[in-house]
Amino acid sequence: MRMYRIALPVTALAASLVLTGCGGDVGTGKSGAPGPKGAAGSALAAVDALPVKGRAPKTGYTRDQFGKGWTDTDHNGCETREDILKRDLKDVKLKDKCDVTSGTLVHDPYTGESITFKRGASKIDIDHVVALSDAWQKGAQQWDKQKRAAFANDPLNLIAVDASANRRKSDGDAATWLPLYKAYRCTYVADQVAVKKKYGVWLTDAEKSAMKTVLDGCRDQKLPAG
């Protein structure tokens, strides 16, 4: 299970990371500064291999560009949303082989709280760790529909989280939003790096700097497989 988001201005976010010990020396902080280096196989090392470009316009983006809702990309007979609920919740009860009716998110990655799931009155969302709109502005406009649908339904990019925190995150990247629960930030950023590496989604300068600030505090954080 991956382990969080708060909408802070970039400058305030960077300051909070330094003050809370979640970051370290990232060189000059200017575009092109080398920043910290990570060991082979680490999320920090992988950041430097990702392309860096400006953010493209959001023109043409809709959720449907990534497929109409959840699909069954792994062909197990269940929609991806149900698969993620079964993966991330404890004490899961099912209506049938697929539909989760209740369960508990014991340790919400974005807030650190325990949240009860009840179908029809849920306070839990399935979040895209790398938001679809963010991906659209950093390369996904050029993908075909099959690749976009795979991205939207990839378990590597999906996590059950507190619904309110998810709405606050919106389509923010690491430069504009990090989980309130600080203990999860390294895992969260490492997951974003893994997703962007897998699909070829680029970073902005500010995003790369923010990622390296977080991962400098956990240089041995492994890049998730997926």
Side-chain angles (χ1 to χ4, degrees), residues 62-137:
T62 65
R63 172 62 179 83
D64 285 352
Q65 294 282 4
F66 290 82
K68 293 185 179 296
W70 301 109
T71 59
D72 177 19
T73 52
D74 61 0
H75 308 295
N76 69 349
C78 302
E79 291 182 352
T80 306
R81 178 178 184 274
E82 306 303 325
D83 288 338
I84 301 304
L85 287 172
K86 284 187 284 186
R87 184 195 71 186
D88 290 355
L89 304 186
K90 301 296 184 185
D91 302 320
V92 169
K93 291 184 173 55
L94 300 174
K95 176 182 177 182
D96 49 37
K97 111 169 178 175
C98 291
D99 294 343
V100 176
T101 59
S102 64
T104 303
L105 185 59
V106 176
H107 203 73
D108 168 46
Y110 288 175
T111 66
E113 303 295 326
S114 177
I115 307 173
T116 299
F117 174 85
K118 186 174 181 181
R119 198 172 198 89
S122 175
K123 295 181 180 178
I124 293 174
D125 282 351
I126 304 302
D127 181 38
H128 291 94
V129 177
V130 175
L132 303 184
S133 172
D134 181 60
W136 180 260
Q137 297 171 78

Side-chain angles (χ1 to χ4, degrees), residues 131-150:
L132 303 184
S133 172
D134 181 60
W136 180 260
Q137 297 171 78
K138 297 172 183 175
Q141 290 186 39
Q142 296 148 24
W143 302 347
D144 61 31
K145 289 189 175 181
Q146 279 188 320
K147 183 174 179 178
R148 290 199 290 261

